[in-house]
Amino acid sequence: MDIFIRANAQEVGETAAGVIAPFVKQGRTIGLATGSSPLTTYKELIRLYEDGDLSFRTIQAFLLDEYVGLSREDVNSYFKTIRNEFTAHVDFVDSNVHSPDSTDPDPYHAAALYEEKISASGVAIQLLGVGVNGHIGFNEPTSALQGPTKVQALHPQTIKDNARFFNSLEEVPTHAMTQGLGTITRAENIVLVATGMAKADAIWGIVEGPLTAMCPGSVLQLHPNVTIVVDEAAASRLEHADYYRTMEQLKLR
Ligand code: F6R
C-alpha cells in the first residue's frame, strides 16, 4: 500500500489524477466513484483534458454503485451525478459509462447482470472514496470481504451522511446496488481518496487497523496495487505517518 499525505483537497486530487492519467492514456477501463471525495480528482482530470493531455473518447467506465429506484435521469442518481460532475465535462461517450440498472424491478437480477458485465470487461484502475464508517462502494460493515455486486440496505449513518444531497432524510433511498468487495478488489489497481477529520478513523482502519468486515475498506490490505491519497486531517490518526512520508520519498517508480 502506498500512502501519500497531501496538504489539502486540491493536492489530493492532483495526486490521484496523476495516478489515473497513465491508464487513460493507454485506453484502459476505469472505475469511477461518486460523492464529494473524488471531486478534486475529477477537476484535475478535466483540466488535463482541457489542456489536451488526456482524451476519454474510447474509455469505458464502470460506476461503483447506484441507488435502487432512482432512474438514470434522477438528479440524485449516481449516473446523473457522475455526468454532471465529470463525464459531461470531458469527451466521454455516455454509452461507455456503465452503472447498475436501478430501475430493474428485480434489483438482485440487475446486480447479478452488472457483476457479469464488470467481470467480462475487467477494470484497470478503480477510484474510491470511503464512508465515515469505513464503507467502500456501498459495502457497509459486515459485508463479505470477497463478495460480488449486491443489493445493500444502507447504514443509518450513510443515510444521514447522504441526506445533504436530498430535500429530507426520508427522501434518501434505503437501498443501493454496489460492486461487492470481491468485485472492487479484482480491479488491477486501486486509488482511494479521503479528506477531512470525519474520515480519520476510517483511514486509520484501512491503513493500520485489523482486516475486518467491520471496516470494509480494510480489505484493501490484501490488494497488491493500492494507493491511498489523503489530506493531513484524514491522515491525523495514522501512527506511522512519518514512515509513509519517508517511503514516498524512497519510491523508485
Ligand atoms: C460513492 C461511494 C461511497 C463514497 C463514500 C464517501 O460512489 O461508493 O463509498 O465514496 O460514501 O462519500 P463522500 O466522498 O461524499 O464523503
Side-chain angles (χ1 to χ4, degrees), residues 33-38 64-65 78 129-131 135-138 164 199:
T34 327
S36 45
S37 310
L64 271 177
D65 40 23
Y78 277 3
V130 60
H135 72 220
I136 56 175
F138 271 133
R164 66 190 194 277
K199 301 293 172 69

Side-chain angles (χ1 to χ4, degrees), residues 140-221:
E140 301 286 26
T142 71
S143 289
L145 295 177
Q146 296 184 324
T149 299
K150 62 174 178 170
V151 178
Q152 170 78 61
L154 299 179
H155 192 288
Q157 174 74 50
T158 304
I159 292 182
K160 223 164 96 190
D161 289 344
N162 290 0
R164 66 190 194 277
F165 301 113
F166 294 81
N167 293 320
S168 67
L169 198 65
E170 291 65 43
E171 277 186 27
V172 186
T174 52
H175 292 75
M177 279 179 278
T178 180
Q179 290 190 33
L181 296 172
T183 324
I184 292 170
T185 51
R186 277 201 309 276
E188 290 167 36
N189 299 273
I190 291 178
V191 56
L192 181 146
V193 290
T195 55
M197 272 304 289
K199 301 293 172 69
D201 284 345
I203 290 300
W204 177 83
I206 290 172
V207 177
E208 296 180 347
L211 174 63
T212 167
M214 291 313 290
C215 175
S218 68
V219 73
L220 300 181
Q221 293 171 10

Side-chain angles (χ1 to χ4, degrees), residues 19-30 59 124-125 188-189:
V19 175
I20 296 167
F23 294 94
V24 176
K25 284 186 178 156
Q26 290 163 26
R28 308 288 314 279
T29 297
I30 61 178
I59 301 295
I125 184 149
E188 290 167 36
N189 299 273

Side-chain angles (χ1 to χ4, degrees), residues 59-79:
I59 301 295
Q60 300 285 327
F62 285 89
L63 304 201
L64 271 177
D65 40 23
E66 183 57 277
Y67 288 117
V68 170
L70 300 192
S71 79
R72 279 189 147 198
E73 289 312 317
D74 190 296
V75 68
N76 281 311
S77 78
Y78 277 3
F79 180 80

